[in-house]
Amino acid sequence: MGEKIKIGISRCLLGENVRYDGGHKLDHYLTETLGMYVDWVGVCPEVEYGLPVPREAMRLVGEPGSPRLLTIRTKVDHTEGMKKWAHSKLKELEKENLCGFIFKSKSPSSGIKGVKVYSETGVPSKSGAGIFGGAFLNRFPLLPAEDDGRLHDPQLRENFIERVFVYRRWLDFAAGDSSMKGLVAFHTDHKFLLMAHSPEHYRRLGKLVAEGKKYRREELHSKYIRQLMDGLRLLA
Ligand code: SF4
C-alpha cells in the first residue's frame, strides 16, 4: 500500500459550507498541518443523506442509548432515514482502507461522544453519540476516532496520530507478509511503543505472539490488533 494515509473527516472541518446555517467549521491545524501527510475522505451525513443547505437545525431526543434525530422546531424525525443512509455509507467506507476518522464534536449526526440528548420536554440531560458517529464506532471499533474538540489537547492529538500510523502499518502488514514470522517482526517493531502505553498489554501481546501457533492466522491477527489498539489508546 504505497499511497498516503487516508483519514475520514466531517466535511465542515475541511471548510465546506455544509452546516445547517450555511457555514463551515474550518480547522486550520487539520487542513494545513495534518493535511500535508494524509488524504482526507470527507463525509457530511446530513447533506449526503439528502438535506439542503441551509436547513433546520436538529438535535437528539429521548434515550441516550438509542436517541431520535429530530428537527428542533418542526420535530421532523430523521432517525430511520439517517440510520439507513449510515448503513450504506459505512459499507462504502469499508473499501477505503481508512486509518482513522475525525468527527465534528457535539453534532447530533457526526458527534461520537458528549453529544447532548434532550428529554421530550426539551431539557438537555445525558450525553450520547450522533447517529452516524455512533454507527461508525460500532462498525469500526478498532479504528482511531476522535473529535475536533478533543484533538485540541496535545496529548490526545499525539495519541490519535500515533494510533493512525500504527494502524496503517498494520494494514500494510496484513496486506503483505502476514506470516507468523512477519507478526513476530511487527511485534518487535512496536513493543517499546506499546510498553510506554501499557506494560499489561505489552505482556499479554508478548504471550499471544509466543503462543501464536495455537491459533488460526485470522483469529490470531484479530486478537492481536484488537489488544494492540486497546493498549495504544491508553495515554503514554
Ligand atoms: S457536523 Fe457533520 S452533519 Fe453537521 S455539517 Fe459537519 S459534517 Fe455535516
Side-chain angles (χ1 to χ4, degrees):
M1 221 188 284
E3 74 260 20
K4 269 182 166 177
I5 288 175
K6 277 190 194 174
I7 299 186
I9 188 166
S10 299
R11 281 168 53 187
C12 52
L13 295 174
L14 294 175
E16 294 186 36
N17 291 321
V18 286
R19 276 170 57 85
Y20 72 95
D21 58 3
H24 60 73
K25 282 285 176 182
L26 175 64
D27 186 308
H28 289 281
Y29 168 75
L30 297 178
T31 53
E32 287 160 30
T33 305
L34 192 55
M36 289 195 291
Y37 307 99
V38 306
D39 279 337
W40 299 119
V41 177
V43 180
C44 176
E46 293 179 14
V47 165
E48 293 172 38
Y49 155 64
L51 297 175
V53 180
R55 57 188 171 275
E56 188 181 345
M58 298 195 283
R59 68 185 182 192
L60 297 176
V61 177
E63 282 300 310
S66 59
R68 287 174 298 131
L69 180 64
L70 303 185
T71 54
I72 295 177
R73 193 173 42 81
T74 54
K75 310 267 185 273
V76 177
D77 190 335
H78 288 291
T79 318
E80 287 316 309
M82 182 61 86
K83 280 187 177 170
K84 206 166 154 208
W85 172 84
H87 183 76
S88 72
K89 184 69 186 181
L90 292 170
K91 262 194 179 159
E92 200 183 304
L93 290 176
E94 271 175 7
K95 300 179 201 132
E96 292 281 2
N97 280 328
L98 294 181
C99 295
F101 205 113
I102 299 172
F103 292 89
K104 176 73 194 79
S105 58
K106 301 179 189 160
S107 157
S109 303
S110 298
I112 49 172
K113 57 180 75 158
V115 182
K116 277 186 187 152
V117 182
Y118 291 79
S119 69
E120 299 293 345
T121 52
V123 181
S125 51
K126 302 188 179 133
S127 58
I131 303 293
F132 174 69
F136 184 96
L137 295 185
N138 283 338
R139 176 70 74 98
F140 301 112
L142 298 178
L143 270 189
E146 274 299 357
D147 67 43
D148 61 315
R150 282 171 52 91
L151 286 183
H152 289 138
D153 177 322
Q155 242 194 326
L156 296 178
R157 180 192 296 175
E158 182 185 323
N159 179 275
F160 173 76
I161 293 172
E162 195 175 82
R163 285 184 288 135
V164 164
F165 277 83
V166 170
Y167 196 76
R168 166 56 182 265
R169 287 197 291 269
W170 175 260
L171 291 184
D172 286 346
F173 158 72
D177 174 19
S178 61
S179 63
M180 191 61 222
K181 200 171 147 211
L183 181 63
V184 171
F186 182 92
H187 183 63
T188 305
D189 288 346
H190 293 86
K191 65 184 186 184
F192 291 117
L193 180 69
L194 178 60
M195 194 154 47
H197 285 269
S198 166
E200 173 57 22
H201 284 81
Y202 167 74
R203 194 189 56 72
R204 274 194 245 148
L205 278 175
K207 186 166 181 281
L208 180 68
V209 172
E211 297 174 349
K213 291 204 171 106
K214 285 195 335 204
Y215 303 98
R216 281 180 300 109
R217 184 179 295 191
E218 209 175 278
E219 189 186 3
L220 176 63
H221 284 186
S222 140
K223 281 177 185 290
Y224 184 88
I225 188 62
R226 198 177 61 237
Q227 292 198 46
L228 179 64
M229 297 314 284
D230 277 353
L232 294 179
R233 207 173 284 136
L234 303 170
L235 295 181

